[in-house]
Amino acid sequence: MLRSRWWLTSAALALLGCGGPFPQSTLAPRSDFARATDVLFRDIFWWAAAVFVVVELLLIIALVRFRHREGRAAPRPAHGHTILEIAWTLAPAVILVFVAVPTVRTIFTTAGEDIPPNALKVEVVGHQWWWEYKYPDLGIATANEMHVPVGKPVQVAITSADVIHSFWAPVLGGKRDAIPGHVNYIAFSADSVGDYSGQCAEFCGASHGNMRLRVLVDRDSAFQAWVDEQKGGPATPPKASLAEQGKAVFSRSACIGCHTIQGVSPGIIGPNLTHVGSRITVAAGLFPNDSAHLASWIADAPSLKPGVLMTRMKPPLTDADIAAVVAYLQSLK
Ligand code: CUA
């Protein structure tokens, strides 16, 4: 009774696990890079499946044909059969060639270093635990949410400011390590508009699991609108508003030591907040960018993201001050 219940529960869980949705499936490629690795995976999968079928078939034949029967002598082992030995050495070698040639070819075509001259360049810097994005040709700096135009070549140059991270947006392409003092590249051209999630794929400390990212693939016009918004200076809150009070609180608090807001503060330890109001999420994709989450983040970030550099403020901000800072940050579109 107990055992059948165990089986039923396991089967139900397995079925549920297969149900999706799978926002981070490498089997649903949305770029040329992801498609190249997907084709490679499928090719090798069928080679492996064929090998499996042949080997299992031979195994079953041997088990049935040579199994022990009353009164039958044990079969004689084959010894010194040169042709047989050459054959079973060559067969796997040939199969490996069929696997290795497309693999090596794909590694070179997706190295990301040869790019068309019109490619959009994005520099990614991994930090414990968030992603910094810089667009050197556009003069834009942002965090955690990368915007790219659909159908255009993009080159992402990946490095790290502290430990090794790994940049991974599965539907757009394979993961690449973010290594301090070294630059790795990904080049891709996204083929459909969307909001694609990803995450750090290399254990990098206490909040490795909280180091998410998003790549927003925009239509040309939407991408241009985003660029214009990011390039414009910071929004100025209206006079005598709660947001203006928030700006004053921000400017006299420890916030300025770590965060840049253009024209207000120069910090470079945490994410650039010049246009933080235009992001969908905060805290490296952990929470929706709304008042409640922003307020609890400002009040006590370490309880939401273990190990985070942003400490509780001493003395703590009052609830009124926090509400004002939240209004200010939300005004920074
Ligand atoms: Cu960064 Cu794991």
Side-chain angles (χ1 to χ4, degrees):
M1 185 61 192
L2 202 66
R3 182 175 279 200
S4 66
R5 206 176 288 165
W6 185 88
W7 275 109
L8 272 177
T9 316
S10 307
L13 280 175
L15 274 177
L16 273 175
C18 296
F22 305 112
Q24 297 192 174
S25 172
T26 48
L27 300 177
R30 293 282 184 273
S31 81
D32 50 354
F33 176 16
R35 217 167 284 286
T37 40
D38 186 55
V39 165
L40 180 67
F41 165 73
R42 281 169 208 272
D43 276 359
I44 293 177
F45 174 82
W46 289 115
W47 277 105
V51 169
F52 176 81
V53 168
V54 170
V55 170
E56 292 307 303
L57 209 63
L58 291 175
L59 186 67
I60 290 168
I61 290 172
L63 284 173
V64 173
R65 178 124 156 57
F66 299 108
R67 83 163 187 266
H68 175 72
R69 286 197 185 86
E70 250 352 281
R72 189 165 80 177
R76 270 188 319 115
H79 263 308
H81 196 306
T82 315
I83 294 179
L84 204 55
E85 286 183 3
I86 290 176
W88 68 44
T89 308
L90 268 185
V94 170
I95 293 169
L96 283 183
V97 169
F98 279 93
V99 171
V101 169
T103 303
V104 173
R105 194 195 300 138
T106 308
I107 288 173
F108 279 97
T109 53
T110 59
E113 294 182 29
D114 296 325
I115 48 155
N118 64 335
L120 171 72
K121 294 200 183 69
V122 187
E123 294 171 4
V124 174
V125 186
H127 294 259
Q128 283 174 315
W129 289 274
W130 58 284
W131 299 97
E132 179 182 9
Y133 301 127
K134 290 181 278 194
Y135 295 66
D137 299 335
L138 301 173
I140 291 174
T142 183
N144 300 321
E145 292 170 15
M146 180 199 287
H147 285 250
V148 298
V150 69
K152 296 273 163 60
V154 177
Q155 187 198 47
V156 183
I158 302 159
T159 188
S160 167
D162 36 49
V163 299
I164 299 178
H165 304 272
S166 184
F167 181 83
W168 192 35
V171 303
L172 294 173
K175 58 186 81 144
R176 282 281 197 273
D177 278 358
I179 301 170
H182 179 84
V183 180
N184 279 331
Y185 296 95
I186 288 178
F188 64 83
S189 173
D191 57 28
S192 35
V193 169
D195 173 355
Y196 303 121
S197 55
Q199 62 189 63
C200 179
E202 178 83 40
F203 180 69
C204 55
S207 272
H208 157 69
N210 295 327
M211 190 168 168
R212 302 183 198 165
L213 60 98
R214 272 160 183 249
V215 182
L216 294 116
V217 178
D218 300 328
R219 250 174 256 292
D220 271 347
S221 52
F223 179 72
Q224 199 48 52
W226 179 79
V227 169
D228 293 343
E229 180 187 81
Q230 301 290 311
K231 282 173 80 169
T236 326
K239 288 259 173 282
S241 64
L242 185 62
E244 198 191 40
Q245 288 172 42
K247 182 177 179 181
V249 176
F250 184 94
S251 308
R252 65 165 189 263
S253 302
C255 316
I256 56 172
C258 296
H259 294 285
T260 293
I261 291 180
Q262 238 177 67
V264 177
S265 62
I268 52 162
I269 294 166
N272 185 312
L273 301 179
T274 308
H275 295 283
V276 66
S278 67
R279 293 179 203 150
I280 308 166
T281 56
V282 287
L286 281 188
F287 309 109
N289 188 3
D290 57 29
S291 318
H293 286 97
L294 269 177
S296 41
W297 180 253
I298 296 166
D300 190 0
S303 74
L304 300 172
K305 195 198 264 186
V308 67
L309 286 180
M310 180 159 144
T311 52
R312 293 177 200 91
M313 247 181 267
K314 282 182 215 131
L317 291 179
T318 62
D319 287 352
D321 280 350
I322 290 178
V325 172
V326 166
Y328 172 51
L329 296 179
Q330 287 180 323
S331 76
L332 296 175
K333 301 274 184 189

